[in-house]
Amino acid sequence: MIRSLSLIGAVVAGALAFALPAQADDCAITVGSNDAMQFDTKEITVPASCKSFTVTLNHNGKLPKASMGHNWVLTTTADMQTVANEGMAAGAAADYLKADDPRIIAHTKMLGGGESDTISFDVSKLSAGTDYTFFCSFPGHWAIMKGTLSVK
Ligand code: ZN
């Protein structure tokens, strides 16, 4: 009896081992940023099998938000420039994002050195075949602080 129970346990554990890691690893990503105005990730692929996708942004630098603020903002590539320009106009108090902008699919808060923020968004908001861009909306940063995101 004990032997058969442990066999069942091994089979269940084996099935879980196949089912869980892909979910846990692929439906989330950690993006680092620094005082040199850089993300450490240039390309993100979101598996279409994910229900939601989680992004953790770490600001690994030391400079304050007022001079080296970083956020992670997701829009279509087509909308990015306009959202960035309107974000700059919205000002620092608004984290350089226009409030309730439907073109912003997801965003973290603006971070200073040593800070971190984690957000999740519904993958159903994205479509395969559309080009998405993630960027930092701090004035001037999006020229180099950006990368591509796609669903596959
Ligand atoms: Zn930035």
Side-chain angles (χ1 to χ4, degrees), residues 34 37 39 59 68-71 110 136-138 141-142 145:
N34 62 24
M37 217 190 290
F39 285 131
H59 190 323
M68 188 54 71
H70 297 319
N71 60 2
M110 190 70 73
C136 171
S137 70
F138 194 94
H141 288 198
W142 66 81
M145 286 192 81

Side-chain angles (χ1 to χ4, degrees), residues 73-135:
V73 181
L74 181 65
T75 64
T76 64
T77 299
D79 285 341
M80 179 244 175
Q81 189 71 54
T82 312
V83 169
N85 282 332
E86 292 180 10
M88 185 165 66
D95 277 359
Y96 297 109
L97 289 174
K98 187 180 164 190
D100 301 321
D101 187 336
R103 295 166 300 184
I104 298 171
I105 299 162
H107 71 89
T108 67
K109 61 186 181 182
M110 190 70 73
L111 306 177
E115 295 180 330
S116 179
D117 192 28
T118 298
I119 53 125
S120 295
F121 58 92
D122 285 342
V123 174
S124 63
K125 290 181 174 179
L126 309 178
S127 58
T130 300
D131 293 328
Y132 299 93
T133 292
F134 65 88
F135 63 97

